[in-house]
Amino acid sequence: AQSVTQLDSQVPVFEEAPVELRCNYSSSVSVYLFWYVQYPNQGLQLLLKYLSGSTLVKGINGFEAEFNKSQTSFHLRKPSVHISDTAEYFCAGSNSGYSTLTFGKGTMLLVSP
Amino acid sequence: DAGITQSPRYKITETGRQVTLMCHQTWSHSYMFWYRQDLGHGLRLIYYSAAADITDKGEVPDGYVVSRSKTENFPLTLESATRSQTSVYFCASSGSSWEIMFFGPGTRLTVL
């Protein structure tokens, strides 16, 4: 089964600064990777996904992630964050469909003015 | 309204009681899922369903029962609630294996 590790439980950052949220996955023949965002008291919302093709994936709200097979990483980046980006971010991965989707423990992004 | 809804949004119950959490989606999505979210664990899959009358266990199914007699509904029942089942429960749906998975707003369940 796929396993996913989010290396930081919290990332504090100032508004308009760049941010990177780190995610590593266990290596496998095939892997499908996702980033979700959860705003307070809400369900999860898909930011972006990697199924195949280009290793640089662009998502909503200005976020992007790069699939790096040699480093088994799928880090999420944004060049300039806003206060409204304050939320919890989850990396998730699977080998074979949503029934085997494994979530990381989450990274809380705290954006301050 | 279109979308995925969960009810109740908040529930407090006592150990040993039966509790049913409801999930309803209006897209006629084939796949539906139940997750629980606990601090330090992320989300863990309880049960999922690929279509009406087809359900299967996820990572943490013990103590839970599901059914799916209609495509749009996927209730989750705790047969005899325990304190360890205190959690936030999320329902989700998807049209197929890799289409976008949509999550409901969650149900916060407290078992005393």
Side-chain angles (χ1 to χ4, degrees), chain B residues 42-91:
Chain B
L43 276 78
R44 292 179 292 175
L45 182 64
I46 305 171
Y47 270 95
Y48 69 98
S49 168
D53 297 322
I54 301 174
T55 62
D56 210 344
K57 295 178 180 179
E59 182 185 352
V60 289
D62 293 343
Y64 303 95
V65 174
V66 293
S67 62
R68 194 157 176 217
S69 56
K70 292 184 178 181
T71 299
E72 61 267 29
N73 297 324
F74 191 39
L76 175 75
T77 297
L78 288 66
E79 293 185 297
S80 178
T82 65
R83 289 195 182 91
S84 65
Q85 293 177 310
T86 292
S87 186
V88 181
Y89 291 85
F90 287 100
C91 179

Side-chain angles (χ1 to χ4, degrees), chain A residues 32 34 36 38 41-44 46 49 51 90 94 96-99 101 103-105, chain B residues 9 33 35 37 40-43 45 48 90 94 96-101 103-105:
Chain A
Y32 309 100
F34 305 78
Y36 287 86
Q38 184 180 30
N41 298 314
Q42 293 187 27
L44 277 71
L46 181 68
K49 61 181 177 180
L51 302 183
F90 291 93
S94 173
S96 59
Y98 282 137
S99 62
L101 191 64
F103 285 84
K105 294 183 179 180
Chain B
R9 293 292 314 278
F33 308 84
Y35 290 90
Q37 183 179 28
H41 287 280
L43 276 78
L45 182 64
Y48 69 98
F90 287 100
S94 173
S96 67
S97 280
W98 293 126
E99 286 185 23
I100 294 176
M101 185 190 296
F103 283 79

Side-chain angles (χ1 to χ4, degrees), chain A residues 23-94:
Chain A
C23 174
N24 286 93
Y25 63 92
S26 58
S27 62
S28 177
V29 174
S30 60
V31 62
Y32 309 100
L33 297 163
F34 305 78
W35 275 99
Y36 287 86
V37 59
Q38 184 180 30
Y39 299 105
N41 298 314
Q42 293 187 27
L44 277 71
Q45 178 183 357
L46 181 68
L47 274 178
L48 49 83
K49 61 181 177 180
Y50 171 79
L51 302 183
S52 65
S54 173
T55 57
L56 183 62
V57 182
K58 293 191 182 297
I60 62 171
N61 300 342
F63 284 94
E64 64 180 33
E66 186 160 15
F67 173 67
N68 188 319
K69 191 172 183 179
S70 62
Q71 297 187 5
T72 61
S73 68
F74 191 57
H75 300 334
L76 181 71
R77 301 185 182 100
K78 187 170 182 178
S80 176
V81 295
H82 301 127
I83 297 285
S84 59
D85 292 322
T86 294
E88 187 145 29
Y89 292 78
F90 291 93
C91 183
S94 173

